[in-house]
Amino acid sequence: MKLPQLALLSALLLAASSQGHAAASAASKQQQVDALFAKWDNPDTPGAAVEVVKDGKVVYRHAFGMADIEQGRAITPSTIFHVASVSKQFTALSVLLLAQDGKLSLDDDVRRYLPELPDFGQVIRIRHLLNHTSGLRDQLNLLSMAGWRMDDVITGDDAMRFVRRQHALNFAPGSEFEYCNTGYTLLGMIVERVSGKSLAAFSKERIFDPLGMKHTFFHEQYSTLVPGRAQSYQPSPGTGYEGIALSFSVVGPTNLFTTADDLVLWQRNFDDARVGGKPLLAQMQTPAKLNDGTATDYGDGVFAGSYRGLRTIGHDGADAGFRSNLLRFPDQHLSVVIVANGADLHVTQLGERIADIYLDGKLDAQPTPIPDYSSRTEVPIDPARLDALVGTYALENGSAITFAKEHGRLVGWTAGDDTMPFYAAGEREFFAKLVNAQFTFDPPGADGVIQGGTWRRNARVKHAKRIAPMKLPDPKALEGEYYSDELHVLYTVTENDGNVVLSYSRGDIVLAPFDKDSFVGPWPFGLVHFQCAPASGCAGFTATEDRARDVQFNKVTIVDAGKR
């Protein structure tokens, strides 16, 4: 064989070997991602649609689990999902397009377009709404404090009615970052008032249609039928799953319906800039700065962060049982899309695990891996043994975690968080499924009392110390009726076995003693501080959670009008 022929043959063999190696590597990556979602790849579990885009090409596209467990309908990459807060980037782009058109300025006073908003004595600008620096209290906190449930039908008008009643902000506009759904509801209303079209119609015309996102839309009315959509699930207290309702009819912060396939088209737009143009999209991804020049990690509708040394742009979403995650590594031209319908799919961690697989060798050294507490195996435990665990434990960060026994099971909450079930992994180890967390109780002391434990949530580890039961000096001083004008709601306060109970028409909220005149409770109340004086008694209380601070309740006397 002549030398030119030998050289050609060698080149062909080398190319074939390289192609074979690349194919094997791609198959290996796909198998690793498959393994991440294996526990949801069943006919009796919810699941997810997952896609990975590298250099503009889809290199992974797969679906797991069921869109509708009762009907036996499986998830596909074209299944329609509610994607919760992933919606915000589309609302943000709609506003930015109007600014690009010269129809508004991001520095405009919000009250120029929404004059019905209260005058807080400080200007809230459109850009404050976009980057969560407005200081407005979050509408979901306000609704919940007023007695609404998250499975109620909630509209933009409902949210606006509460915003109009507010007397104060959480902080001066531009001075802090605090995630706020209210701002994005107002942005949706501004789009409508400026463009003369609903946010749903405007975004369809200017974003979804030009990008070919044929199955993407803002779902304006919860009752509108959507064929082929995924249903929403959460783990049931025992085994298996149960449905969890979602009746939102508010657009802007949430309620985008879309598919994994359509979100791939959206991710590509950040590279080819078909909608908006490169300068506008770059602006959207630039972290905002506070009044003092401090940079936040949020742009306009997207987080701008980093993972293992690489720059990231993305957003998560969570409503009812729906979970979504868009994670993009712009410098590596890699995007991860996850849309899911089970509350136990921790999509942030799953997205990062996918990035670990596809960016292997390009990432900084992996820190200590975060354990997957939520996947531990539950073991049976005598319900009587739970009694010794019940109580409130102060955490090192100034917060607290409270455990209670309900229907023979352990439930718990950190101050301001939802109450959730905990499952036994051992005599003293209990894990949650709705968040990646575990609490390990200390062994009992010589007196038989468990005095503390260790709270682990994702990578955070906090030691906890039991708060000794408090004897309220004068329980009757706290008891009475308390009214909030900002919420237009009345609560009855009673004392029960050392706890303070807030009662209203739809249930009771038990507050555990935390400090002098202060108590902690589940979301949305967080820290409740009573305003008491020795001479005059208790005149009111404030309720504070990060997204709704110092909501005022005043003690009132209810008088029977017929007996005056």
Side-chain angles (χ1 to χ4, degrees), residues 460-522:
R460 300 189 298 273
V461 179
K462 301 291 182 185
H463 295 290
K465 182 178 180 181
R466 181 187 286 273
I467 298 176
M470 293 183 184
K471 179 64 177 177
L472 298 178
D474 184 7
K476 296 299 180 184
L478 301 181
E479 292 184 340
E481 309 287 344
Y482 292 78
Y483 174 74
S484 171
D485 184 63
E486 293 180 292
L487 303 175
H488 195 45
V489 66
L490 185 74
Y491 275 83
T492 300
V493 174
T494 57
E495 183 270 342
N496 181 16
D497 195 25
N499 294 321
V500 168
V501 181
L502 305 182
S503 300
Y504 67 116
S505 60
R506 298 182 76 169
D508 297 332
I509 297 171
V510 178
L511 305 178
F514 181 65
D515 202 349
K516 185 178 183 298
D517 295 330
S518 295
F519 299 79
V520 290

Side-chain angles (χ1 to χ4, degrees), residues 37 56 59 88 94 111 118 174 194 202 207 275-276 287 290 299 303 322 329 336 352 360 406 417 439 449 498 502 544:
F37 293 87
V59 295
K88 288 182 172 69
S94 297
R111 296 182 74 241
V194 172
F202 183 88
I207 303 174
V275 171
L290 301 179
F303 283 95
F322 293 109
F329 293 81
V336 178
E352 291 172 350
D360 185 32
E406 291 183 3
D417 275 350
F439 193 91
V449 177
L502 305 182
T544 293

Side-chain angles (χ1 to χ4, degrees), residues 88-293:
K88 288 182 172 69
Q89 54 202 283
F90 299 94
T91 303
L93 183 56
S94 297
V95 172
L96 294 175
L97 289 171
L98 286 171
Q100 188 180 65
D101 294 343
K103 300 290 182 63
L104 57 78
S105 167
L106 301 188
D107 288 317
D108 284 342
D109 185 338
V110 172
R111 296 182 74 241
R112 175 178 177 180
Y113 307 101
L114 302 171
E116 64 269 37
L117 288 179
D119 182 356
F120 294 105
Q122 302 174 83
V123 176
I124 300 175
R125 306 189 187 280
I126 289 177
R127 69 171 67 253
H128 291 143
L129 304 182
L130 284 166
N131 50 52
H132 300 298
T133 59
S134 69
L136 289 164
R137 291 166 173 159
D138 195 285
Q139 64 195 39
L140 298 182
N141 294 67
L142 298 177
L143 285 158
S144 294
M145 283 186 183
W148 292 53
R149 292 194 296 248
M150 289 300 96
D151 56 0
D152 287 334
V153 177
I154 297 173
T155 68
D157 288 341
D158 293 329
M160 179 60 93
R161 274 191 284 273
F162 281 94
V163 176
R164 289 201 303 263
R165 298 190 70 92
Q166 299 308 295
H167 301 165
L169 299 170
N170 284 334
F171 50 81
S175 65
E176 296 183 35
F177 171 90
E178 188 63 64
Y179 195 86
C180 180
N181 288 290
T182 308
Y184 272 78
T185 295
L186 301 185
L187 288 171
M189 294 178 175
I190 289 172
V191 169
E192 182 168 358
R193 295 191 184 184
V194 172
S195 71
K197 301 173 183 177
S198 68
L199 175 63
F202 183 88
S203 56
K204 180 179 188 301
E205 177 184 313
R206 297 291 298 274
I207 303 174
F208 306 140
D209 284 353
L211 292 178
M213 299 172 69
K214 297 180 180 179
H215 304 290
T216 301
F217 56 93
F218 277 103
H219 193 230
E220 298 176 291
Q221 296 293 332
Y222 85 98
S223 56
T224 301
L225 300 180
V226 181
R229 69 162 129 176
Q231 300 301 319
S232 164
Y233 300 96
Q234 66 181 2
S236 62
T239 58
Y241 289 85
E242 61 187 13
I244 176 170
L246 183 64
S247 304
F248 285 174
S249 295
V250 56
V251 296
T254 185
N255 254 35
L256 186 79
F257 278 35
T258 187
T259 68
D261 284 341
D262 274 8
L263 289 174
V264 166
L265 301 176
W266 168 245
Q267 293 293 77
R268 284 174 176 158
N269 187 60
F270 285 100
D271 292 323
D272 58 34
R274 291 173 56 193
V275 171
K278 288 189 177 297
L280 189 66
L281 293 173
Q283 174 188 342
M284 184 178 177
Q285 301 169 80
T286 301
K289 291 185 177 180
L290 301 179
N291 296 339
D292 63 2

Side-chain angles (χ1 to χ4, degrees), residues 38-84:
K39 66 180 288 187
W40 296 284
D41 195 17
N42 299 292
D44 57 354
T45 66
V50 184
E51 302 202 32
V52 180
V53 183
K54 183 73 172 75
D55 298 322
K57 297 180 180 180
V58 176
V59 295
Y60 182 89
R61 181 175 181 265
H62 200 84
F64 307 86
M66 308 303 288
D68 188 325
I69 295 174
E70 292 173 296
Q71 300 299 322
R73 179 164 50 84
I75 294 172
T76 73
S78 59
T79 295
I80 295 174
F81 286 82
H82 169 105
V83 293

Side-chain angles (χ1 to χ4, degrees), residues 21-35 60 357-358:
H21 177 74
S25 177
S28 173
K29 288 180 169 65
Q30 292 170 3
Q31 290 168 2
Q32 291 177 66
V33 177
D34 287 348
Y60 182 89
I357 294 167
Y358 279 91

